[in-house]
Short mmCIF file of all heavy atoms in Angstrom, two decimals:
data_model
loop_
_atom_site.label_atom_id
_atom_site.label_comp_id
_atom_site.label_asym_id
_atom_site.label_seq_id
_atom_site.Cartn_x
_atom_site.Cartn_y
_atom_site.Cartn_z
N MET P 1 0.86 -1.21 0.01
CA MET P 1 0.00 0.00 -0.01
C MET P 1 0.89 1.23 -0.01
O MET P 1 1.89 1.31 0.71
CB MET P 1 -0.89 -0.03 1.24
CG MET P 1 -1.84 1.10 1.34
SD MET P 1 -2.95 0.90 2.76
CE MET P 1 -1.87 1.30 4.15
N PHE P 2 0.54 2.22 -0.85
CA PHE P 2 1.34 3.44 -0.91
C PHE P 2 0.42 4.58 -1.36
O PHE P 2 -0.68 4.36 -1.91
CB PHE P 2 2.54 3.31 -1.85
CG PHE P 2 2.12 2.92 -3.29
CD1 PHE P 2 1.94 3.88 -4.26
CD2 PHE P 2 1.91 1.55 -3.58
CE1 PHE P 2 1.53 3.52 -5.52
CE2 PHE P 2 1.52 1.22 -4.90
CZ PHE P 2 1.36 2.20 -5.86
N ALA P 3 0.85 5.78 -1.10
CA ALA P 3 0.10 6.96 -1.53
C ALA P 3 0.53 7.41 -2.88
O ALA P 3 1.71 7.38 -3.20
CB ALA P 3 0.28 8.13 -0.52
N HIS P 4 -0.41 7.75 -3.75
CA HIS P 4 -0.07 8.17 -5.12
C HIS P 4 -0.93 9.37 -5.49
O HIS P 4 -2.16 9.41 -5.24
CB HIS P 4 -0.29 7.02 -6.06
CG HIS P 4 -0.11 7.43 -7.49
ND1 HIS P 4 1.18 7.64 -8.01
CD2 HIS P 4 -0.93 7.66 -8.51
CE1 HIS P 4 1.08 8.00 -9.26
NE2 HIS P 4 -0.22 8.01 -9.62
N HIS P 5 -0.32 10.37 -6.16
CA HIS P 5 -1.04 11.54 -6.70
C HIS P 5 -1.37 11.21 -8.10
O HIS P 5 -0.48 11.06 -8.96
CB HIS P 5 -0.19 12.78 -6.56
CG HIS P 5 -1.02 14.01 -6.98
ND1 HIS P 5 -1.91 14.61 -6.14
CD2 HIS P 5 -1.06 14.64 -8.15
CE1 HIS P 5 -2.43 15.60 -6.78
NE2 HIS P 5 -1.96 15.67 -7.98
N CYS P 6 -2.65 11.04 -8.41
CA CYS P 6 -3.12 10.68 -9.73
C CYS P 6 -3.02 11.82 -10.72
O CYS P 6 -3.46 12.95 -10.35
CB CYS P 6 -4.54 10.17 -9.65
SG CYS P 6 -5.29 9.70 -11.24
N SER P 7 -2.50 11.59 -11.89
CA SER P 7 -2.38 12.65 -12.91
C SER P 7 -3.68 12.91 -13.62
O SER P 7 -3.81 13.88 -14.34
CB SER P 7 -1.26 12.31 -13.94
OG SER P 7 -1.59 11.08 -14.55
N ALA P 8 -4.65 11.97 -13.46
CA ALA P 8 -5.94 12.11 -14.15
C ALA P 8 -6.96 12.89 -13.25
O ALA P 8 -7.56 13.83 -13.70
CB ALA P 8 -6.48 10.76 -14.54
N CYS P 9 -7.12 12.44 -12.04
CA CYS P 9 -8.10 13.05 -11.13
C CYS P 9 -7.50 14.11 -10.21
O CYS P 9 -8.25 14.76 -9.51
CB CYS P 9 -8.87 11.99 -10.37
SG CYS P 9 -7.91 11.02 -9.22
N GLU P 10 -6.17 14.25 -10.20
CA GLU P 10 -5.49 15.21 -9.35
C GLU P 10 -5.71 15.02 -7.88
O GLU P 10 -5.69 15.97 -7.15
CB GLU P 10 -5.89 16.64 -9.82
CG GLU P 10 -5.46 17.00 -11.20
CD GLU P 10 -3.96 17.14 -11.37
OE1 GLU P 10 -3.31 17.52 -10.39
OE2 GLU P 10 -3.46 16.82 -12.45
N GLU P 11 -6.06 13.78 -7.49
CA GLU P 11 -6.22 13.48 -6.06
C GLU P 11 -5.11 12.56 -5.59
O GLU P 11 -4.54 11.79 -6.41
CB GLU P 11 -7.57 12.77 -5.84
CG GLU P 11 -8.77 13.59 -6.19
CD GLU P 11 -9.09 14.66 -5.17
OE1 GLU P 11 -8.52 14.60 -4.06
OE2 GLU P 11 -9.86 15.59 -5.50
N THR P 12 -4.81 12.61 -4.33
CA THR P 12 -3.85 11.67 -3.71
C THR P 12 -4.64 10.59 -2.98
O THR P 12 -5.42 10.89 -2.09
CB THR P 12 -2.90 12.36 -2.77
OG1 THR P 12 -2.17 13.35 -3.49
CG2 THR P 12 -1.91 11.39 -2.14
N TYR P 13 -4.46 9.36 -3.40
CA TYR P 13 -5.14 8.19 -2.85
C TYR P 13 -4.14 7.20 -2.33
O TYR P 13 -3.05 7.06 -2.87
CB TYR P 13 -6.05 7.53 -3.88
CG TYR P 13 -7.27 8.32 -4.22
CD1 TYR P 13 -7.43 8.77 -5.54
CD2 TYR P 13 -8.27 8.53 -3.29
CE1 TYR P 13 -8.60 9.46 -5.89
CE2 TYR P 13 -9.44 9.18 -3.67
CZ TYR P 13 -9.62 9.67 -4.98
OH TYR P 13 -10.71 10.33 -5.28
N LEU P 14 -4.58 6.36 -1.40
CA LEU P 14 -3.84 5.14 -1.04
C LEU P 14 -4.13 4.09 -2.14
O LEU P 14 -5.31 3.85 -2.45
CB LEU P 14 -4.24 4.65 0.32
CG LEU P 14 -3.71 5.45 1.50
CD1 LEU P 14 -4.23 4.87 2.78
CD2 LEU P 14 -2.18 5.43 1.53
N ILE P 15 -3.08 3.50 -2.66
CA ILE P 15 -3.22 2.46 -3.65
C ILE P 15 -2.91 1.12 -2.97
O ILE P 15 -1.89 1.01 -2.32
CB ILE P 15 -2.25 2.71 -4.83
CG1 ILE P 15 -2.51 4.05 -5.46
CG2 ILE P 15 -2.41 1.57 -5.86
CD1 ILE P 15 -3.90 4.31 -6.00
N PHE P 16 -3.83 0.17 -3.20
CA PHE P 16 -3.65 -1.19 -2.52
C PHE P 16 -3.09 -2.18 -3.51
O PHE P 16 -3.25 -1.98 -4.76
CB PHE P 16 -4.98 -1.62 -1.94
CG PHE P 16 -5.44 -0.77 -0.79
CD1 PHE P 16 -6.13 0.38 -0.99
CD2 PHE P 16 -5.15 -1.15 0.53
CE1 PHE P 16 -6.58 1.17 0.08
CE2 PHE P 16 -5.55 -0.35 1.57
CZ PHE P 16 -6.27 0.81 1.38
N GLU P 17 -2.50 -3.21 -3.01
CA GLU P 17 -1.93 -4.23 -3.89
C GLU P 17 -2.95 -4.82 -4.87
O GLU P 17 -2.63 -5.20 -5.97
CB GLU P 17 -1.35 -5.38 -3.01
CG GLU P 17 -0.09 -4.94 -2.31
CD GLU P 17 0.33 -6.00 -1.20
OE1 GLU P 17 -0.04 -7.14 -1.35
OE2 GLU P 17 0.92 -5.51 -0.21
N SER P 18 -4.21 -4.86 -4.43
CA SER P 18 -5.24 -5.40 -5.33
C SER P 18 -5.51 -4.55 -6.52
O SER P 18 -6.09 -4.99 -7.50
CB SER P 18 -6.57 -5.59 -4.52
OG SER P 18 -6.98 -4.29 -4.04
N GLN P 19 -5.00 -3.28 -6.56
CA GLN P 19 -5.18 -2.40 -7.71
C GLN P 19 -4.07 -2.50 -8.69
O GLN P 19 -4.12 -1.96 -9.79
CB GLN P 19 -5.31 -0.93 -7.20
CG GLN P 19 -6.60 -0.67 -6.43
CD GLN P 19 -6.55 0.68 -5.81
OE1 GLN P 19 -6.18 0.80 -4.63
NE2 GLN P 19 -7.00 1.70 -6.53
N LEU P 20 -2.95 -3.22 -8.31
CA LEU P 20 -1.81 -3.35 -9.22
C LEU P 20 -2.16 -4.21 -10.42
O LEU P 20 -2.82 -5.25 -10.28
CB LEU P 20 -0.63 -3.95 -8.48
CG LEU P 20 -0.04 -3.16 -7.34
CD1 LEU P 20 1.10 -3.97 -6.72
CD2 LEU P 20 0.40 -1.81 -7.77
N THR P 21 -1.77 -3.75 -11.60
CA THR P 21 -1.96 -4.55 -12.85
C THR P 21 -0.67 -5.13 -13.31
O THR P 21 -0.72 -6.16 -14.02
CB THR P 21 -2.61 -3.66 -13.92
OG1 THR P 21 -1.81 -2.52 -14.15
CG2 THR P 21 -4.01 -3.25 -13.51
N SER P 22 0.47 -4.53 -12.98
CA SER P 22 1.73 -5.14 -13.35
C SER P 22 2.85 -4.57 -12.49
O SER P 22 2.70 -3.46 -11.91
CB SER P 22 2.10 -4.98 -14.84
OG SER P 22 2.57 -3.68 -15.07
N LEU P 23 3.96 -5.27 -12.46
CA LEU P 23 5.14 -4.89 -11.65
C LEU P 23 6.33 -5.36 -12.41
O LEU P 23 6.51 -6.53 -12.65
CB LEU P 23 4.96 -5.64 -10.29
CG LEU P 23 5.82 -5.26 -9.12
CD1 LEU P 23 5.11 -5.67 -7.83
CD2 LEU P 23 7.16 -5.95 -9.20
N ASP P 24 7.21 -4.46 -12.82
CA ASP P 24 8.35 -4.77 -13.62
C ASP P 24 9.65 -4.22 -13.04
O ASP P 24 9.67 -3.04 -12.59
CB ASP P 24 8.24 -4.22 -15.06
CG ASP P 24 7.14 -4.94 -15.84
OD1 ASP P 24 7.20 -6.18 -15.89
OD2 ASP P 24 6.26 -4.24 -16.34
N ASN P 25 10.69 -5.02 -13.04
CA ASN P 25 12.01 -4.47 -12.67
C ASN P 25 12.60 -3.78 -13.82
O ASN P 25 12.74 -4.37 -14.93
CB ASN P 25 12.93 -5.65 -12.23
CG ASN P 25 12.85 -5.89 -10.72
OD1 ASN P 25 12.98 -4.94 -9.96
ND2 ASN P 25 12.68 -7.14 -10.35
N THR P 26 12.96 -2.53 -13.69
CA THR P 26 13.60 -1.77 -14.78
C THR P 26 14.92 -1.20 -14.27
O THR P 26 15.25 -1.30 -13.09
CB THR P 26 12.71 -0.61 -15.22
OG1 THR P 26 12.66 0.39 -14.21
CG2 THR P 26 11.28 -1.04 -15.50
N ALA P 27 15.66 -0.55 -15.16
CA ALA P 27 16.97 0.03 -14.76
C ALA P 27 16.70 1.16 -13.76
O ALA P 27 17.60 1.52 -12.97
CB ALA P 27 17.64 0.59 -16.00
N ASN P 28 15.53 1.74 -13.73
CA ASN P 28 15.22 2.89 -12.80
C ASN P 28 14.65 2.38 -11.52
O ASN P 28 14.43 3.24 -10.63
CB ASN P 28 14.30 3.83 -13.51
CG ASN P 28 14.93 4.52 -14.65
OD1 ASN P 28 16.08 4.81 -14.64
ND2 ASN P 28 14.14 4.77 -15.68
N GLY P 29 14.36 1.14 -11.38
CA GLY P 29 13.68 0.63 -10.15
C GLY P 29 12.51 -0.25 -10.50
O GLY P 29 12.39 -0.72 -11.65
N ILE P 30 11.64 -0.38 -9.60
CA ILE P 30 10.46 -1.24 -9.78
C ILE P 30 9.32 -0.39 -10.32
O ILE P 30 8.88 0.52 -9.69
CB ILE P 30 10.05 -1.96 -8.46
CG1 ILE P 30 11.18 -2.79 -7.91
CG2 ILE P 30 8.77 -2.84 -8.73
CD1 ILE P 30 10.98 -3.21 -6.47
N GLU P 31 8.88 -0.70 -11.57
CA GLU P 31 7.83 0.07 -12.18
C GLU P 31 6.51 -0.59 -11.87
O GLU P 31 6.24 -1.75 -12.23
CB GLU P 31 8.02 0.14 -13.71
CG GLU P 31 7.08 1.03 -14.41
CD GLU P 31 7.34 1.07 -15.89
OE1 GLU P 31 8.25 1.81 -16.33
OE2 GLU P 31 6.66 0.33 -16.62
N LEU P 32 5.66 0.14 -11.17
CA LEU P 32 4.32 -0.35 -10.78
C LEU P 32 3.29 0.26 -11.67
O LEU P 32 3.22 1.50 -11.85
CB LEU P 32 4.03 0.04 -9.32
CG LEU P 32 5.00 -0.40 -8.28
CD1 LEU P 32 4.76 0.26 -6.97
CD2 LEU P 32 4.91 -1.91 -8.05
N ARG P 33 2.39 -0.56 -12.19
CA ARG P 33 1.24 -0.08 -12.94
C ARG P 33 0.02 -0.47 -12.17
O ARG P 33 -0.09 -1.57 -11.65
CB ARG P 33 1.19 -0.67 -14.37
CG ARG P 33 2.30 -0.21 -15.24
CD ARG P 33 2.22 -0.87 -16.63
NE ARG P 33 3.40 -0.64 -17.40
CZ ARG P 33 3.61 0.45 -18.17
NH1 ARG P 33 2.68 1.34 -18.22
NH2 ARG P 33 4.73 0.58 -18.79
N PHE P 34 -0.96 0.48 -12.15
CA PHE P 34 -2.14 0.19 -11.30
C PHE P 34 -3.28 1.03 -11.85
O PHE P 34 -3.10 1.99 -12.64
CB PHE P 34 -1.87 0.47 -9.82
CG PHE P 34 -1.30 1.81 -9.56
CD1 PHE P 34 -2.12 2.90 -9.28
CD2 PHE P 34 0.09 2.01 -9.62
CE1 PHE P 34 -1.61 4.14 -9.07
CE2 PHE P 34 0.59 3.29 -9.37
CZ PHE P 34 -0.25 4.35 -9.10
N THR P 35 -4.43 0.71 -11.37
CA THR P 35 -5.68 1.47 -11.73
C THR P 35 -6.08 2.32 -10.55
O THR P 35 -6.32 1.82 -9.46
CB THR P 35 -6.77 0.51 -12.10
OG1 THR P 35 -6.32 -0.34 -13.16
CG2 THR P 35 -8.00 1.28 -12.61
N CYS P 36 -6.13 3.67 -10.75
CA CYS P 36 -6.56 4.60 -9.73
C CYS P 36 -8.01 4.37 -9.36
O CYS P 36 -8.77 3.74 -10.08
CB CYS P 36 -6.35 6.02 -10.22
SG CYS P 36 -6.91 7.30 -9.04
N TRP P 37 -8.41 4.88 -8.19
CA TRP P 37 -9.85 4.73 -7.82
C TRP P 37 -10.78 5.40 -8.85
O TRP P 37 -11.93 5.07 -8.93
CB TRP P 37 -10.04 5.38 -6.41
CG TRP P 37 -9.29 4.67 -5.34
CD1 TRP P 37 -8.07 4.95 -4.83
CD2 TRP P 37 -9.76 3.50 -4.64
NE1 TRP P 37 -7.74 4.03 -3.84
CE2 TRP P 37 -8.76 3.10 -3.74
CE3 TRP P 37 -10.90 2.72 -4.75
CZ2 TRP P 37 -8.88 2.00 -2.91
CZ3 TRP P 37 -11.07 1.60 -3.90
CH2 TRP P 37 -10.02 1.26 -3.02
N CYS P 38 -10.25 6.41 -9.60
CA CYS P 38 -11.09 7.03 -10.65
C CYS P 38 -11.12 6.19 -11.92
O CYS P 38 -11.89 6.54 -12.82
CB CYS P 38 -10.52 8.42 -10.94
SG CYS P 38 -9.00 8.44 -11.91
N GLY P 39 -10.33 5.12 -12.05
CA GLY P 39 -10.38 4.30 -13.21
C GLY P 39 -9.16 4.52 -14.14
O GLY P 39 -9.06 3.80 -15.11
N ALA P 40 -8.37 5.58 -13.91
CA ALA P 40 -7.30 5.87 -14.80
C ALA P 40 -6.07 4.91 -14.51
O ALA P 40 -5.77 4.59 -13.39
CB ALA P 40 -6.79 7.28 -14.54
N GLU P 41 -5.39 4.50 -15.61
CA GLU P 41 -4.22 3.72 -15.53
C GLU P 41 -3.05 4.67 -15.10
O GLU P 41 -2.87 5.76 -15.66
CB GLU P 41 -3.87 3.08 -16.85
CG GLU P 41 -4.78 1.95 -17.26
CD GLU P 41 -4.69 0.78 -16.31
OE1 GLU P 41 -3.54 0.42 -15.90
OE2 GLU P 41 -5.73 0.17 -15.95
N GLN P 42 -2.30 4.28 -14.05
CA GLN P 42 -1.19 5.08 -13.56
C GLN P 42 0.03 4.21 -13.44
O GLN P 42 -0.01 3.02 -13.34
CB GLN P 42 -1.54 5.61 -12.17
CG GLN P 42 -2.72 6.60 -12.17
CD GLN P 42 -2.31 7.98 -12.73
OE1 GLN P 42 -1.55 8.66 -12.13
NE2 GLN P 42 -2.90 8.30 -13.91
N THR P 43 1.21 4.91 -13.47
CA THR P 43 2.47 4.25 -13.34
C THR P 43 3.36 5.01 -12.33
O THR P 43 3.31 6.24 -12.32
CB THR P 43 3.23 4.21 -14.71
OG1 THR P 43 2.39 3.57 -15.65
CG2 THR P 43 4.49 3.42 -14.57
N THR P 44 4.12 4.26 -11.52
CA THR P 44 5.05 4.91 -10.58
C THR P 44 6.23 3.98 -10.50
O THR P 44 6.20 2.79 -10.79
CB THR P 44 4.43 5.21 -9.25
OG1 THR P 44 5.30 6.03 -8.48
CG2 THR P 44 4.16 3.93 -8.47
N VAL P 45 7.38 4.57 -10.08
CA VAL P 45 8.61 3.81 -9.95
C VAL P 45 9.00 3.77 -8.48
O VAL P 45 8.95 4.81 -7.87
CB VAL P 45 9.77 4.36 -10.79
CG1 VAL P 45 11.00 3.55 -10.58
CG2 VAL P 45 9.37 4.34 -12.26
N SER P 46 9.23 2.56 -7.98
CA SER P 46 9.48 2.37 -6.53
C SER P 46 10.83 1.66 -6.37
O SER P 46 11.42 1.25 -7.33
CB SER P 46 8.37 1.58 -5.92
OG SER P 46 8.64 1.32 -4.56
N GLY P 47 11.26 1.54 -5.13
CA GLY P 47 12.45 0.70 -4.84
C GLY P 47 13.67 1.59 -4.58
O GLY P 47 13.61 2.81 -4.70
N ARG P 48 14.77 0.93 -4.19
CA ARG P 48 16.00 1.65 -3.82
C ARG P 48 16.51 2.54 -4.89
O ARG P 48 16.95 3.66 -4.67
CB ARG P 48 17.07 0.60 -3.48
CG ARG P 48 17.08 0.32 -1.96
CD ARG P 48 18.25 -0.49 -1.62
NE ARG P 48 18.48 -1.61 -2.58
CZ ARG P 48 19.50 -2.40 -2.69
NH1 ARG P 48 20.47 -2.22 -1.87
NH2 ARG P 48 19.57 -3.38 -3.52
N LEU P 49 16.52 2.07 -6.20
CA LEU P 49 17.08 2.89 -7.25
C LEU P 49 16.24 4.16 -7.43
O LEU P 49 16.87 5.21 -7.67
CB LEU P 49 17.10 2.08 -8.58
CG LEU P 49 18.11 0.95 -8.63
CD1 LEU P 49 17.91 0.10 -9.84
CD2 LEU P 49 19.50 1.52 -8.57
N ALA P 50 14.92 4.07 -7.32
CA ALA P 50 14.08 5.23 -7.44
C ALA P 50 14.40 6.23 -6.29
O ALA P 50 14.45 7.42 -6.54
CB ALA P 50 12.62 4.83 -7.40
N ASP P 51 14.60 5.72 -5.09
CA ASP P 51 14.91 6.61 -3.99
C ASP P 51 16.27 7.34 -4.21
O ASP P 51 16.41 8.49 -3.95
CB ASP P 51 15.04 5.79 -2.69
CG ASP P 51 13.68 5.21 -2.29
OD1 ASP P 51 12.67 5.73 -2.75
OD2 ASP P 51 13.67 4.31 -1.46
N ARG P 52 17.29 6.57 -4.74
CA ARG P 52 18.56 7.17 -5.01
C ARG P 52 18.43 8.24 -6.07
O ARG P 52 19.04 9.26 -5.99
CB ARG P 52 19.53 6.12 -5.41
CG ARG P 52 20.99 6.60 -5.41
CD ARG P 52 21.99 5.44 -5.46
NE ARG P 52 21.84 4.73 -6.65
CZ ARG P 52 22.26 3.47 -6.80
NH1 ARG P 52 22.80 2.84 -5.77
NH2 ARG P 52 22.12 2.85 -7.94
N ARG P 53 17.70 8.00 -7.13
CA ARG P 53 17.51 8.96 -8.15
C ARG P 53 16.89 10.22 -7.61
O ARG P 53 17.27 11.34 -7.94
CB ARG P 53 16.56 8.36 -9.29
CG ARG P 53 16.55 9.22 -10.54
CD ARG P 53 15.63 8.67 -11.53
NE ARG P 53 14.30 8.56 -10.91
CZ ARG P 53 13.28 7.95 -11.48
NH1 ARG P 53 13.39 7.40 -12.62
NH2 ARG P 53 12.10 7.90 -10.85
N THR P 54 15.85 10.07 -6.74
CA THR P 54 15.24 11.27 -6.14
C THR P 54 16.22 12.03 -5.32
O THR P 54 16.30 13.25 -5.38
CB THR P 54 14.04 10.81 -5.23
OG1 THR P 54 13.15 10.06 -6.08
CG2 THR P 54 13.35 12.01 -4.67
N ALA P 55 17.10 11.31 -4.57
CA ALA P 55 18.08 11.96 -3.73
C ALA P 55 19.06 12.73 -4.63
O ALA P 55 19.50 13.84 -4.24
CB ALA P 55 18.86 10.94 -2.91
N ASP P 56 19.42 12.18 -5.79
CA ASP P 56 20.38 12.85 -6.71
C ASP P 56 19.74 14.17 -7.20
O ASP P 56 20.44 15.15 -7.29
CB ASP P 56 20.69 11.95 -7.90
CG ASP P 56 21.59 10.80 -7.49
OD1 ASP P 56 22.17 10.88 -6.41
OD2 ASP P 56 21.71 9.84 -8.28
N VAL P 57 18.48 14.10 -7.46
CA VAL P 57 17.76 15.31 -7.97
C VAL P 57 17.76 16.39 -6.92
O VAL P 57 18.03 17.53 -7.18
CB VAL P 57 16.32 14.95 -8.43
CG1 VAL P 57 15.52 16.20 -8.71
CG2 VAL P 57 16.38 14.05 -9.67
N VAL P 58 17.50 15.99 -5.69
CA VAL P 58 17.42 16.96 -4.58
C VAL P 58 18.83 17.57 -4.39
O VAL P 58 18.94 18.74 -4.12
CB VAL P 58 16.94 16.26 -3.26
CG1 VAL P 58 17.13 17.14 -2.03
CG2 VAL P 58 15.49 15.84 -3.43
N ALA P 59 19.87 16.74 -4.49
CA ALA P 59 21.20 17.23 -4.22
C ALA P 59 21.72 18.14 -5.36
O ALA P 59 22.58 18.96 -5.14
CB ALA P 59 22.17 16.04 -4.06
N ALA P 60 21.18 18.01 -6.54
CA ALA P 60 21.71 18.77 -7.74
C ALA P 60 21.31 20.24 -7.66
O ALA P 60 20.42 20.62 -7.05
CB ALA P 60 21.13 18.13 -9.02
ZN1 ZN U 1 -7.31 9.07 -10.34
#
């Protein structure tokens, strides 16, 4: 379970595992695809690599 800000409905919702449609390991981290409560398909990147990338952006 994680919080996500939807780009379609502009709301922040908790996303549950049951809403996930796919989960892929990529060079940038774990790419999660899921369906928002509004019905829109959304994607987010999670995992250690994603955290490090965010930290790099903050430090730059
Ligand atoms: Zn939404």
